[in-house]
Amino acid sequence: MARLSLAACAVAFHLCLLVSSSASLRWLSDKPAAVTTAGGVRTRSAYHFQPAKNWQNDPNGPMYHNGVYHLFYQYNPLGATWGTGNLSWGHSVSRDLVNWVTLDTALDPTAPFDSNGCWSGSATILPGGIPALLYTGRIGTGKGMQVQNVAFPKNPADPLLREWVKPAYNPVIPLPADVPGDNFRDPTTAWVGRDGMWRIAVAAKVGGPNGIASTLIYRSKDFRHWKRNTLPLYTSRAAGMVECPDLFPVAEPGVEEGLLGYVSGTVSGTVRHVLKLSVMNTTQDYYMVGRYDDAADTFVPELDNERILDDFRTWRRFDYGHVYASKSFFDMRKNRRVLWAWASESDNMDDDIAKGWSGVQTVPRKVWLDGDGKQLRQWPIEEIETLRSKRVVGLLGAQVNAGGVNKIVGVGAQADVEAIFEISSLEEAETFEPNWLLDPQKLCEEKGASVPGGVGPFGLLVMASGDMQEHTAVFFRVFRQNDKYKVLMCTDLSKSSTRDGVYKPPYGAFVDMDIEAHGGIISLRTLVDHSVVESFGGGGRTCITARVYPDHVVNGNSHLYVFNNGTGAVKVSSLDAWEMATATVNVLPDGLIAASSVSRAQAY
Ligand code: DQQ
């Protein structure tokens, strides 16, 4: 551990960094030259899921079947852009959710009922163990028309379920008369109610172009003939159009096991459910915990005093960063619910075309209901830890004083970092203003890592260049609100890259925990993977995923620091960091991934 000399750091935080690093005055003055190439393999993730090449978006139909995990995904086999009409279902299999093998695409837009794209959907394992895929077929040109289709394995005995057939009786659900053609999609995994009928939810805008964002329920006896319920499961005038709904049961508060969502009898009564909606006009995923009743197919959110039913901005989010279109599945192997979500690129399309790929998935996360019964907790599945290689233990028990920046030597751009911070005193917490409640992201912008505070900002600087010109700050800041405290978590990208044309917002959210009752202790886990910074604050109560494109990785090493820019001291009770091994993710014989691994090894 190298402690940097920061005696002069009573001034702005960026100046502290200037003093503490070998940077010259260029830190504040020079504008770096624009980089026109995308950095190619240097930004490619080493252990996040991505196809070998081309475009990927939503995770589709994740499932565990006969000892094999399957992940399907929206995939453009023809290039690194979305390619509306080309969308296929990419298909990869794994035994551990970490290392993946690519198979041929499972669904391609080849039938009259999906001729312009096989869009998102889900997998359901039918009685007898046969999986079924429900997906949206896009027909026609222009905005097209959306219908729901089903597909089954060609050979259910094939352990990898390589080929899928689409029955000629598709579509199983045509476009309803009261829904515009381009606003009807993304069927969920099916579940069975007490009446023995299958149910699915489908997203739709009901009532014309200015209609209401709705989550429709369809019921079926045979998985082929589906009838729409008169009343939707949920509607929102505020949302515009929602996509990729997900409805799943959760166990008792604080119990980490998951519940199977499609066996009769488990989906009603006292069990709580989570309804997740992907809101199209913000491209953000929101969820509510509530009660689902399978007699009437209604979902009643349990609102606390900070959440408003029809204002999705007050709903909680799986991730307050750059992810969308998440999907969960029940993992029968380990009795847990696992969530995937798409983290798109946030550089620009020319970069994607130049590097030949676009889009990663978050690491698979275990999801359960927190002990408070109100919010979800998320944590990287334990299998991710098999990639932990060299371990670095730093700063154990060290106090990080105002303006302190401590380097953790030995980990860089491919790391897993777990830190526990202990706030010495909450006395110095700044006063919280109620109008900050609705916009934590703005608060993170106003009170970024370089703005000194009382209790915080403190946390990690990851993907930092040797001269500190580039770094991504993941941090907490604690405010006093009446006689309670409010914890803000931010991922500040403003200094993440010196490149132009890269989206570098501040991301932020509150961590819903009573920091005082927790003895002033708060944890932060951050997974760093070249262009991905995926963080879990307060034991997974608040998650923020960011995409970063630092320029320094082309010629230099990345570093990790702990910092505190608040006047109150913060103790690092523990800090463990691991260099992460490169997972085998969709390696193709053409050597594309192998080549990138070699250059990574050379660079770091
Ligand atoms: N992506 C799919 C749609 C879905 C959207 C198309 C969400 O089915 O609504 O690629 O990202």
Side-chain angles (χ1 to χ4, degrees), residues 356-430:
W357 58 270
S358 177
V360 304
Q361 304 293 338
T362 59
V363 291
R365 302 171 178 180
K366 185 167 92 167
V367 182
W368 71 99
L369 186 61
D370 184 41
D372 70 6
K374 297 188 296 187
Q375 63 183 324
L376 293 177
R377 302 269 294 269
Q378 297 169 69
W379 203 245
I381 54 158
E382 59 192 4
E383 290 88 332
I384 291 293
E385 292 166 27
T386 61
L387 296 173
R388 288 174 168 176
S389 54
K390 196 179 81 191
R391 179 174 176 220
V392 175
V393 183
L395 295 179
L396 206 57
Q399 187 139 309
V400 189
N401 293 319
V405 179
N406 296 59
K407 186 172 183 178
I408 311 296
V409 177
V411 284
Q414 200 170 309
D416 182 355
V417 188
E418 277 198 68
I420 298 182
F421 299 99
E422 205 174 319
I423 298 160
S424 313
S425 159
L426 291 164
E427 278 297 298
E428 316 217 13
E430 302 152 79

Side-chain angles (χ1 to χ4, degrees), residues 222-242:
D222 57 4
F223 225 81
R224 173 172 172 178
H225 301 93
W226 295 88
K227 190 162 177 251
R228 176 173 150 190
N229 280 4
T230 315
L231 291 178
L233 180 74
Y234 181 76
T235 56
S236 169
R237 285 184 186 278
M241 170 67 183
V242 294

Side-chain angles (χ1 to χ4, degrees), residues 521-561:
I521 292 174
I522 188 162
S523 69
L524 176 62
R525 180 168 180 192
T526 295
L527 298 170
V528 183
D529 192 2
H530 299 265
S531 58
V532 185
V533 176
E534 186 172 351
S535 300
F536 302 79
R541 290 175 177 84
T542 300
C543 305
I544 301 179
T545 300
R547 302 298 310 277
V548 296
Y549 306 89
D551 198 22
H552 71 266
V553 296
V554 177
N555 300 312
N557 294 338
S558 275
H559 305 281
L560 167 69
Y561 296 86

Side-chain angles (χ1 to χ4, degrees), residues 55 57-58 60 74-75 82 84 87 118-121 136 138 146 185-187 203 241-244 278 280 283 324-325 342:
W55 167 272
N57 57 295
D58 316 351
N60 292 157
Q74 289 287 280
Y75 180 63
W82 186 47
T84 339
L87 284 167
C118 298
W119 283 18
S120 285
T136 298
R138 196 165 160 274
Q146 295 168 7
R185 55 184 176 271
D186 308 338
M241 170 67 183
V242 294
E243 305 180 298
C244 301
S278 301
M280 200 177 154
T283 52
Y324 189 58
W342 166 44

Side-chain angles (χ1 to χ4, degrees), residues 12-33:
F13 182 55
H14 59 269
L15 287 175
C16 297
L17 295 180
L18 175 64
V19 177
S20 68
S21 70
S22 56
S24 68
L25 287 174
R26 279 182 52 228
W27 167 263
L28 290 176
S29 53
D30 282 6
K31 192 165 177 292

Side-chain angles (χ1 to χ4, degrees), residues 139 150 237 287 309 350 361 367 594:
I139 307 169
V150 68
R237 285 184 186 278
Y287 76 87
L309 185 61
D350 290 344
Q361 304 293 338
V367 182

Side-chain angles (χ1 to χ4, degrees), residues 44-45 49-58 73-83 86-90 102-103 105 108 342-345 349 351-361 547 585-586 588 590 592-593:
R44 195 176 168 88
S45 65
F49 182 95
Q50 56 180 133
K53 55 186 174 184
N54 296 332
W55 167 272
Q56 162 191 237
N57 57 295
D58 316 351
Y73 41 94
Q74 289 287 280
Y75 180 63
N76 178 5
L78 303 182
T81 56
W82 186 47
N86 304 327
L87 284 167
S88 293
W89 277 38
T102 313
L103 303 179
T105 47
D108 295 293
W342 166 44
S344 64
E345 303 305 307
M349 202 191 281
D351 291 332
D352 296 349
I353 292 166
K355 69 194 181 204
W357 58 270
S358 177
V360 304
Q361 304 293 338
R547 302 298 310 277
V585 181
N586 296 318
L588 285 184
D590 67 8
L592 177 75
I593 311 291

